């Protein structure tokens, strides 16, 4: 996997939490998944790593309960799932928030869920961002990264 961040617990059909990244192996896709007791929604983009290899990318996942799960790259919507979106997101009490690794994996950076590369910044908001806010956030972060 290539996981940017997650609070997720695989529980054989009763999964809970969220994941931002590729949770399985080294497939060339990137997704934002939201789970509640096995009910889930996924925004997915195929060929992500082919398109964005060796470059800085601003990734955003937005969850609006009962409405949508949306994945953005550099302020542009890549995919949106509006079917079977959970009305609530159950966060697992057995897993902690992790950056660069699936939260239900062991702590070793060599596990299958580890991110291979650099992660410059992770922000988690307690509200769903609008498309304009996602776009503006991308421009702000791009300006900050350009100063490095």
């Amino acid at each position: 996997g290539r996981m940017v961040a997650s609070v997720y617990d695989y529980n054989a059909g009763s999964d809970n939490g969220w994941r931002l990244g590729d949770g399985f192996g080294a497939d060339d896709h990137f997704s934002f998944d939201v789970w509640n007791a096995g009910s889930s929604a996924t925004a997915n983009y195929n060929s992500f790593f082919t398109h964005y290899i060796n470059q800085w990318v601003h990734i955003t996942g937005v969850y609006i309960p009962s409405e949508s799960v949306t994945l953005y790259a550099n302020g542009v919507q890549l995919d949106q799932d509006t079917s079977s979106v959970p009305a609530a997101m159950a966060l697992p009490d057995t897993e902690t928030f992790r950056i660069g690794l699936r939260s239900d994996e062991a702590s070793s950076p060599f596990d299958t869920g580890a991110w291979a590369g650099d992660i410059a910044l992770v922000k988690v908001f307690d509200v769903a961002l609008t498309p304009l806010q996602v776009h503006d956030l991308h421009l702000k972060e791009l300006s900050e990264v350009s100063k490095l």
Side-chain angles (χ1 to χ4, degrees), residues 8-16 102 104:
Y8 171 76
D9 183 33
Y10 173 76
N11 195 8
S14 189
D15 305 2
N16 288 309
R102 270 180 53 170
D104 61 338

Side-chain angles (χ1 to χ4, degrees), residues 6-140:
S6 70
V7 178
Y8 171 76
D9 183 33
Y10 173 76
N11 195 8
S14 189
D15 305 2
N16 288 309
W18 60 269
R19 302 181 306 196
L20 181 65
D22 173 18
F24 303 102
D27 294 337
D28 189 6
H29 70 268
F30 196 96
S31 61
F32 177 53
D33 309 306
V34 174
W35 298 82
N36 185 9
S39 173
S40 68
T42 300
N44 184 63
Y45 184 74
N46 290 319
S47 301
F48 178 85
F49 296 99
T50 298
H51 289 118
Y52 295 108
I53 193 164
N54 295 326
Q55 57 183 300
W56 180 87
V57 182
H58 183 266
I59 297 294
T60 308
V62 176
Y63 164 61
I64 301 175
S66 299
E67 290 184 28
S68 63
V69 171
T70 309
L71 178 66
Y72 296 84
N74 297 332
V76 176
Q77 181 178 316
L78 298 178
D79 190 33
Q80 183 176 65
D81 185 353
T82 58
S83 63
S84 304
V85 178
M89 177 178 20
L91 295 177
D93 57 5
T94 58
E95 303 298 338
T96 57
F97 173 71
R98 291 210 184 165
I99 297 172
L101 190 68
R102 270 180 53 170
S103 59
D104 61 338
E105 292 278 335
S107 60
S108 168
F110 304 104
D111 290 322
T112 60
W115 180 260
D118 295 328
I119 298 173
L121 178 68
V122 173
K123 291 183 180 181
V124 178
F125 296 89
D126 62 355
V127 296
L129 300 179
T130 67
L132 180 59
Q133 289 171 318
V134 170
H135 182 269
D136 289 349
L137 185 61
H138 162 250
L139 293 178
K140 179 183 176 195

